[in-house]
Amino acid sequence: MIKVVKFGGSSLASAKQMAKVGAIIHEDPDRRYVVPSAPGRRFSDDTKVTDMLYRCYDAAAAGEVIDDKLDAIRARYQEIIEGLGLNFSLDEEFEVIRDYFKRRAGRDYAASRGEYLNGLVLANYLGFRFIDAKDVILFDSRGNFDAESTDAVLHERLRNLDNAVIPGFYGAMPDGSIKTFSRGGSDITGSIIARAVRANVYENWTDVSGCLVTDPHLVDNPETIETITYRELRELSYMGASVLHEDAIFPVRSEAIPINIRNTNRPGDPGTMIVESTVRSPKHVITGVAGRKGFCAINIDKAMMNSEIGFGRRVLQVFEENRISFEHTPSGIDTFSVLVHQEEFADKEQDVIAGLHRAVNPDNIYLETDLALIAIVGRGMRNAQGTAGRLFSALAGAGVNIKMIDQGSSELNIIIGVRDEDFERSIRAIYKEFITSGR
Ligand code: ASP
């Protein structure tokens, strides 16, 4: 068995956290390849080392003195090194960093040092081999991640190593300059490594015990999802539920390697398994419910629109020309609606309305603002009868008026539109109906 384990910033923010990480890794010899983030927040208004590095570099680039800022970063690592009782110094590394900052090595270089230094510390603490991500995570000369070359190089490099620490978040371009993924990108590195070593599982350790059925700000103590498919997760994260960087799914998904979200502070919890497909029946009919506010609908009426060939295309073309992406297009007899992000639409509304008049000569256009979209997601809905009925009566019982309904043909989700002000109430009613009632 091979396990790739990635630890997030809060799991590595202090010596105490790092010691928990050490215990988790040593407890299971299959945990051979380790991907650390940079030290994150130790308490709620703490600053992540990555942010400290960006600020420090920006100050250096503006020609300011950076001694204090660099010392504060060094102190974060020193606290960990001393707390763990390591006989190890990063002094030389900090001299190199100071020099590279002076020579304007770039913001990506700066940010990547958070993971790089944490990788050195963790490798020393674990007694594992350190591999610099710049040698194994490869970007092309335009800065795009080069999946195939990376896989070949990594596979070769790790094949004969019993264990290794490979820092997350960055790699290098052909000229050697450092390039990072977008924020939270250590998740992606972990996934790339899991693919390269053909891992049996990619464990992603964080500070929650997995994906929750819904947002804990809306429902007290929501249940943890035991097993979720990649597709379900994608639907939920699109609607704002996030535990993992979106791009982290692709490398492991192509090899059908499961991801296990785990909690460093509660290592006994099984966490959530994210899988390609499963025969395990879900615990509840719905796997999760998530949503977002701030949408508006542009409703277009025109008698006999169904016989007008190209009507829908001409409508959507107006949105395209105004560079607005649409979320949904529910339609009825003689009506066609386009749902968009209100913020994106607001600046361009008059142009869009005029464009629609020119394009399709409608009888009437009316706008509906302040809508929220809620996605009820679950592979269990496919075979369950009456899901929509339960959903609608639960919402009716909560006094919510449903403005829009859209069920994808996959039967994996139902999307409903409600007024922004009904959003929280709707989520609670859905949770109660499908989860608290226990089916
Ligand atoms: N340290 C980086 C960030 O704060 C990457 C990561 O933690 O995944 O975004």
Side-chain angles (χ1 to χ4, degrees):
M1 208 45 171
I2 301 180
K3 294 179 181 171
V4 169
V5 288
K6 179 258 166 178
F7 290 88
S10 61
S11 302
L12 299 164
S14 64
K16 187 167 156 233
Q17 289 299 90
M18 188 93 71
K20 291 184 193 169
V21 166
I24 289 168
I25 294 168
H26 287 312
E27 179 204 62
D28 182 349
D30 295 336
R31 295 185 173 130
R32 290 169 45 189
Y33 304 107
V34 183
V35 178
S37 279
R41 292 193 189 97
R42 294 159 294 182
F43 37 86
S44 61
D45 55 359
D46 199 11
T47 308
K48 294 180 177 182
V49 165
T50 309
D51 292 308
M52 298 171 84
L53 283 160
Y54 277 126
R55 279 177 218 160
C56 181
Y57 183 77
D58 290 343
E64 293 167 24
V65 180
I66 58 166
D67 292 355
D68 289 354
K69 290 192 168 64
L70 209 53
D71 283 347
I73 296 167
R74 188 201 304 248
R76 289 291 309 263
Y77 289 98
Q78 203 51 38
E79 179 194 318
I80 297 174
I81 291 171
E82 280 167 22
L84 294 173
L86 302 178
N87 182 11
F88 177 68
S89 161
L90 290 174
D91 288 351
E92 277 176 30
E93 296 291 345
F94 272 96
E95 281 323 303
V96 175
I97 292 172
R98 178 191 297 280
D99 186 44
Y100 271 60
F101 274 30
K102 214 183 282 166
R103 291 178 5 210
R104 309 276 193 272
R107 285 190 105 224
D108 280 17
Y109 167 80
S112 75
R113 296 305 88 186
E115 272 67 12
Y116 170 79
L117 296 170
N118 223 18
L120 289 174
V121 174
L122 186 60
N124 183 282
Y125 177 52
L126 294 172
F128 279 20
R129 178 77 164 264
F130 174 81
I131 293 190
D132 192 340
K134 82 171 173 24
D135 301 326
V136 287
I137 302 287
L138 310 177
F139 290 81
D140 66 20
S141 52
R142 278 182 310 195
N144 296 318
F145 173 59
D146 183 345
E148 293 323 309
S149 316
T150 297
D151 194 57
V153 168
L154 257 180
H155 185 72
E156 209 30 54
R157 188 74 191 269
L158 296 180
R159 206 158 51 111
N160 299 317
L161 283 184
D162 288 342
N163 56 51
V165 172
I166 309 108
F169 190 40
Y170 72 93
M173 302 209 278
D175 67 358
S177 53
I178 299 290
K179 170 89 191 143
T180 63
F181 293 111
S182 56
R183 293 299 303 266
S186 299
D187 284 343
I188 310 174
T189 309
S191 180
I192 293 166
I193 290 172
R195 175 186 173 206
V197 301
R198 318 292 184 247
N200 300 82
V201 60
Y202 167 28
E203 291 181 345
N204 190 296
W205 291 81
T206 171
D207 53 6
V208 289
S209 292
C211 312
L212 301 174
V213 171
T214 195
D215 185 343
H217 301 105
L218 302 179
V219 171
D220 278 344
N221 260 322
E223 271 189 25
T224 303
I225 300 171
E226 285 172 9
T227 308
I228 184 169
T229 64
Y230 288 125
R231 286 187 59 199
E232 289 173 312
L233 182 71
R234 173 84 187 102
E235 306 259 355
L236 287 174
S237 27
Y238 181 72
M239 278 296 180
S242 91
V243 273
L244 199 67
H245 193 296
E246 266 202 319
D247 295 341
I249 288 182
F250 302 106
V252 280
R253 189 173 179 182
S254 66
E255 301 286 325
I257 298 167
I259 305 175
N260 187 195
I261 306 286
R262 299 286 292 264
N263 188 348
T264 301
N265 303 319
R266 294 178 58 101
D269 289 354
T272 299
M273 286 302 274
I274 308 169
V275 298
E276 176 60 38
S277 55
T278 173
V279 292
R280 288 226 209 151
S281 45
K283 193 163 164 210
H284 304 286
V285 171
I286 70 166
T287 304
V289 51
R292 279 195 280 169
K293 292 181 174 182
F295 293 93
C296 68
I298 297 94
N299 301 308
I300 303 153
D301 289 348
K302 185 173 188 189
M304 308 296 285
M305 70 163 62
N306 57 327
S307 57
E308 220 178 283
I309 294 189
F311 186 91
R313 180 185 53 74
R314 288 200 295 279
V315 166
L316 293 180
Q317 194 164 0
V318 174
F319 287 86
E320 182 180 345
E321 281 162 8
N322 284 281
R323 315 255 355 115
I324 300 173
S325 64
F326 67 91
E327 299 294 315
H328 293 279
T329 55
S331 61
I333 312 290
D334 298 341
T335 71
F336 188 95
S337 305
V338 181
L339 270 107
V340 297
H341 283 280
Q342 197 155 314
E343 238 175 49
E344 227 179 294
F345 178 70
D347 290 348
K348 300 171 180 164
E349 65 172 10
Q350 296 311 321
D351 291 341
V352 174
I353 294 169
L356 288 171
H357 274 276
R358 270 195 301 273
V360 295
N361 190 25
D363 297 337
N364 183 29
I365 294 181
Y366 66 99
L367 306 177
E368 220 166 335
T369 55
D370 302 319
L371 297 176
L373 290 177
I374 298 176
I376 298 99
V377 176
R379 60 193 186 282
M381 298 195 308
R382 199 168 296 150
N383 302 315
Q385 277 149 15
T387 310
R390 284 174 68 189
L391 173 65
F392 300 146
S393 28
L395 291 171
V400 174
N401 178 23
I402 303 175
K403 311 287 291 179
M404 183 211 87
I405 305 164
D406 193 353
Q407 175 168 23
S409 49
S410 63
E411 283 187 67
L412 193 67
N413 67 9
I414 300 176
I415 307 225
I416 56 163
V418 300
R419 302 214 61 83
D420 268 354
E421 66 206 38
D422 288 336
F423 176 69
E424 287 82 3
R425 206 158 10 127
S426 304
I427 298 263
R428 283 188 204 112
I430 297 166
Y431 187 87
K432 188 159 166 242
E433 171 63 30
F434 289 98
I435 308 296
T436 317
S437 81
R439 284 172 298 148

